[in-house]
């Protein structure tokens, strides 16, 4: 798919040095040559010299008009995925890859296309059908040359629902199809908590909460107006680092000024956080945010000590009293790197069940759906190992007694910030009363408790005055 407006912008940026994208057949021929998928037995100095080793999937493709750069391309399961991102600036000298935002956008779009096509790679007829639908899906995913939705599988592949151009002049480009039926709105607040706990005096534990508000608005009309508000409980920490979807029509500037880099002060914006918007046709993330919550949901202590040929371990976990004690799942995984299979295990748990992985290199402590009334659980044990084989996990960072416990949990109908959507605050300027559903969840993400008897590989130390 070509975007003439994007090509015109590229020409404007580069003037006489602009290299146009050649015809499809010429581009394919040049790309196959650059990827060494044709004439790979022939040595071509500019492509094959040792002085030019490509460490990324970004190529300079030789065309009749000159070198076309950057071309993002990779070869996967017999298919080539490629795009030519726009560099919003001059190409001489070539800018660093990390400064070209179009590369990350193009990669996300290509990975979305690969995720859509790859499940059908063993069925030729199904793959042909999917590839035939790609053009129509790209009209929704990337209508004007900028990717708006890289989750291609979530898009509607029905031909009659897709419009090349909006019929209504007021219909925004991101609203690629119109809905017919009963109005309904689904909102899900998804919060993830990252944590690093060390249980050491000179090292500060760190944790971070980041959330996303996902919406799906099935509403009739070419450009329906919706206003949705996020609320916080009294005295809750404010939302910070708020980033909104491009369909949001206006926001209070104070909302966007609150950042986690600056210390909290009395003038910080505490909500309610109002978002007026014209929703896209499919699900989308209305906004992202972070928050500086006072405590992590689960406090932990891990001690691992080597005594001769054995290892003694002790794990204590405590659920904070402010956290909802109702999990969909909760487990602690204790890996043993750079050692052989677990040959002998003696343990005692105050709660839950301890399982040994099939490879005998990982202990899985399943805590289930609730902590006990005391909100505290403990595990003690002695572990000895057999001879190490190639199949057992190794890690260059976690050597010796440097080790961790990693927590995995999900708490439905709960957010660590207390953030929620008030159903009565939702405003929709369309006929009829829509059905509204809201849900919340808190999920662990990179939740580590490091062995306090050994130095952790990555620490955060406070600045000394």
């Amino acid at each position: 798919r070509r975007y003439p407006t994007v090509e015109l912008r590229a020409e404007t940026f580069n003037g006489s040095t602009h290299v146009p994208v050649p015809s499809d057949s010429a581009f394919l021929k040049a790309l196959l040559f650059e990827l060494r998928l044709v004439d790979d037995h022939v040595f071509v100095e500019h492509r094959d010299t040792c002085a030019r080793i490509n460490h990324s999937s970004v190529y300079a493709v030789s065309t009749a008009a000159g070198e076309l750069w950057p071309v993002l391309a990779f070869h996967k399961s017999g298919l080539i995925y490629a795009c030519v991102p726009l560099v919003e600036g001059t190409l001489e000298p070539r800018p660093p890859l990390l400064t070209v935002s179009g590369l990350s956008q193009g990669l996300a779009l290509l990975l979305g296309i690969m995720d859509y096509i790859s499940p059908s790679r063993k069925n030729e007829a199904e793959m042909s059908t999917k590839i035939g639908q790609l053009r129509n899906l790209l009209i929704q995913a990337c209508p004007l040359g900028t990717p708006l939705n890289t989750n291609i599988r979530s898009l509607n592949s029905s031909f009659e629902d897709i419009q090349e151009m909006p019929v209504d002049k007021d219909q925004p480009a991101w609203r690629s199809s119109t809905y017919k039926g009963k109005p309904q709105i689904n909102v899900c607040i998804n919060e993830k908590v990252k944590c690093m706990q060390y249980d050491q005096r000179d090292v500060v534990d760190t944790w971070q909460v980041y959330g996303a508000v996902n919406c799906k608005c099935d509403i009739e009309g070419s450009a329906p107006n919706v206003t949705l508000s996020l609320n916080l409980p009294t005295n809750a920490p404010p939302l910070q680092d708020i980033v909104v979807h491009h369909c949001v029509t206006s926001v209070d500037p104070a909302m966007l000024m609150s950042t986690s880099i600056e210390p909290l002060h009395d003038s910080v914006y505490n909500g309610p956080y109002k978002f007026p918007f014209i929703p896209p046709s499919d699900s989308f993330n209305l906004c992202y945010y972070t928050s500086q919550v006072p405590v992590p949901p689960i406090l932990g202590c891990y001690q691992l000590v080597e005594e001769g040929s054995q290892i003694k371990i002790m794990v204590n976990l405590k659920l904070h009293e402010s956290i909802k004690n109702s999990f969909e799942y909760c487990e602690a995984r204790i890996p043993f790197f750079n050692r052989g299979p677990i040959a002998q295990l003696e343990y005692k748990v105050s709660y839950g069940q301890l399982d040994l992985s099939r490879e005998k290199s990982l202990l899985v402590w399943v805590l289930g759906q609730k902590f006990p009334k005391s909100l505290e659980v403990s595990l003690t044990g002695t572990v000895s190992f057999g001879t190490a084989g190639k199949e057992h996990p190794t890690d260059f960072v976690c050597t010796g007694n440097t080790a961790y416990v990693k927590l995995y949990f999900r708490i439905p109908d709960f957010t660590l910030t207390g953030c929620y959507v008030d159903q009565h605050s939702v405003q929709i300027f369309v006929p009829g009363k829509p059905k509204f559903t809201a849900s919340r969840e808190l999920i662990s993400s990179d939740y580590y408790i490091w062995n306090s008897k050994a130095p952790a590989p990555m620490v955060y130390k406070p600045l000394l005055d």
Side-chain angles (χ1 to χ4, degrees), residues 427-446:
Q427 297 178 332
I428 307 171
F429 302 99
V430 293
K433 187 177 181 181
K435 179 184 177 184
F436 179 83
T437 56
S439 59
R440 305 188 294 172
E441 63 178 4
L442 177 68
I443 302 175
S444 63
S445 170
D446 296 332

Side-chain angles (χ1 to χ4, degrees), residues 338-363:
N338 311 309
R339 307 176 191 272
I342 295 174
Q344 191 173 357
L345 171 64
E346 295 178 4
Y347 69 92
K348 181 180 179 181
V349 290
S350 66
Y351 190 80
Q353 174 184 331
L354 190 68
D355 297 326
L356 179 62
S357 69
R358 184 181 299 177
E359 300 80 14
K360 298 186 176 180
S361 59
L362 175 72
L363 296 180

Side-chain angles (χ1 to χ4, degrees), residues 179-185 217-220 431 433-435:
Y179 173 77
K180 298 292 183 184
K182 291 184 178 179
Q184 52 187 0
I185 296 178
C217 301
D218 293 327
I219 304 171
E220 291 188 357
K433 187 177 181 181
K435 179 184 177 184

Side-chain angles (χ1 to χ4, degrees), residues 159-179:
F159 292 108
E160 60 268 18
D161 286 348
I162 297 167
Q163 305 167 24
E164 284 276 356
M165 292 294 291
V167 174
D168 191 326
K169 62 181 177 64
D170 296 325
Q171 183 171 336
W174 61 82
R175 194 166 170 81
S176 53
S177 61
T178 53
Y179 173 77

Side-chain angles (χ1 to χ4, degrees), residues 292-406:
Q292 300 180 47
V293 295
V295 291
I298 299 176
L299 290 166
C301 170
Y302 178 36
Q303 294 183 357
L304 180 151
V305 179
E306 222 162 331
E307 294 184 357
S309 60
Q310 291 184 329
I311 283 181
K312 287 192 173 181
I313 61 169
M314 184 273 291
V315 184
N316 288 328
L317 300 175
K318 181 179 180 180
L319 181 70
H320 195 270
E321 58 268 16
S322 65
I323 306 303
K324 181 182 178 183
N325 190 8
S326 178
F327 294 78
E328 182 179 302
Y329 57 85
C330 182
E331 64 183 41
R333 298 184 185 180
I334 311 169
F336 296 97
F337 300 107
N338 311 309
R339 307 176 191 272
I342 295 174
Q344 191 173 357
L345 171 64
E346 295 178 4
Y347 69 92
K348 181 180 179 181
V349 290
S350 66
Y351 190 80
Q353 174 184 331
L354 190 68
D355 297 326
L356 179 62
S357 69
R358 184 181 299 177
E359 300 80 14
K360 298 186 176 180
S361 59
L362 175 72
L363 296 180
V364 181
W365 185 11
V366 180
L367 297 168
Q369 297 178 323
K370 273 185 179 292
F371 272 65
K373 285 187 178 180
S374 65
L375 302 182
E376 294 187 53
V377 294
S378 63
L379 159 67
T380 55
T382 305
V383 187
S384 58
F385 301 89
T387 306
K390 291 182 179 179
E391 70 278 7
H392 292 284
T394 59
D395 194 294
F396 296 111
V397 175
C398 296
T399 57
N401 287 357
T402 299
Y404 61 77
V405 173
K406 189 172 183 182

Side-chain angles (χ1 to χ4, degrees), residues 243-296:
V243 179
V244 300
H245 192 273
H246 60 79
C247 72
V248 176
T249 52
S250 65
V251 288
D252 190 322
M255 185 193 306
L256 303 181
M257 294 297 288
S258 179
T259 169
S260 56
I261 298 174
E262 299 291 334
L264 294 176
H265 49 79
D266 294 339
S267 63
V268 76
Y269 192 86
N270 286 292
Y273 304 87
K274 285 194 173 185
F275 299 93
F277 60 95
I278 299 174
S281 307
D282 221 299
S283 63
F284 68 103
N285 286 328
L286 177 67
C287 69
Y288 300 90
Y289 61 84
T290 67
S291 182
Q292 300 180 47
V293 295
V295 291

